[in-house]
Amino acid sequence: MTRTATGTPRAAPVPTQHLAELAWKLHEDAGEDVLLPRERITSRIHATDGQYERAKGYIRDHITMEKGKAFLSYRSGYMITTDPAKISEYAALRMRRINTELRRLLSGAINPLGEQVADYEVLAMFQDEIAHMTRTYDRMQKATLSMPKPVRTTKPKRRRRTTAST
């Protein structure tokens, strides 16, 4: 623990690459397609939430390509996988979020200017390109609607144990 200028304790700086490698090793030891909760990962690699956020970026930017496996934020945790069904479910979720953000950018920031957008070349370009991206997303979504869901989204029901009457 180090101290800030005001004397408050602060976690010692740890290189992001080191934490990313520790996190990846933790996933490898657990096995492919094993979901690890965030709290378990951060406690095992001794990382703060901010440090883990940076480590996840490093994993996605560097380690996944090197190892040939995807790193997914999946439902309630994180996993490494090569399962195309899980990867496609994750990609669809992320694309939906991106599409929502793009639509909100148009509706909340650019489109309210109305015809004035045409007076600003960069805003007109943003408007056209974002509209193109959202149309592309709509086509992708329509194409995937006919495909079966790759991964079941409901949890299996737990069976209650009944006590035997004597």
Side-chain angles (χ1 to χ4, degrees):
M1 229 8 117
T2 61
R3 298 218 176 255
T4 63
T6 60
T8 57
R10 179 178 88 138
V14 180
T16 298
Q17 180 178 354
H18 176 69
L19 291 175
E21 289 168 356
L22 290 175
W24 188 269
K25 175 90 170 86
L26 187 63
H27 282 283
E28 283 184 329
D29 291 347
E32 192 169 314
D33 297 320
V34 174
L35 199 60
L36 298 178
R38 177 188 192 93
E39 297 77 27
R40 180 172 168 194
I41 299 165
T42 56
S43 70
R44 292 268 177 95
I45 66 172
H46 305 290
T48 65
D49 285 342
Q51 288 172 322
Y52 184 57
E53 286 301 312
R54 289 187 298 279
K56 288 188 317 185
Y58 187 90
I59 289 170
R60 289 184 174 119
D61 292 344
H62 303 285
I63 297 176
T64 55
M65 289 299 293
E66 176 187 320
K67 302 290 186 173
K69 293 181 182 181
F71 176 75
L72 308 181
S73 167
Y74 191 78
R75 298 184 183 162
S76 61
Y78 299 88
M79 71 167 58
I80 58 174
T81 188
T82 55
D83 182 341
K86 288 182 178 93
I87 295 167
S88 89
E89 183 178 305
Y90 171 78
L93 175 65
R94 293 294 300 262
M95 291 297 294
R96 188 169 47 249
R97 288 178 183 163
I98 291 167
N99 185 58
T100 299
E101 286 300 313
L102 289 171
R103 289 181 187 277
R104 286 181 179 155
L105 181 57
L106 280 177
S107 68
I110 297 172
N111 290 348
L113 294 179
E115 292 182 17
Q116 289 178 335
V117 170
D119 297 336
Y120 302 95
E121 184 179 344
V122 72
L123 290 180
M125 180 189 67
F126 285 159
Q127 189 178 50
D128 290 345
E129 293 302 319
I130 292 170
H132 173 71
M133 287 183 250
T134 59
R135 285 191 306 272
T136 301
Y137 172 79
D138 291 343
R139 284 195 313 274
M140 289 184 337
Q141 186 182 29
K142 285 177 187 171
T144 60
L145 286 178
S146 62
M147 296 173 61
K149 289 283 183 203
V151 179
R152 193 168 77 188
T153 58
T154 58
K155 292 182 179 179
K157 291 184 179 179
R158 289 179 141 188
R159 296 177 114 181
R160 289 187 179 210
R161 290 186 178 191
T162 57
T163 55
S165 56
T166 50

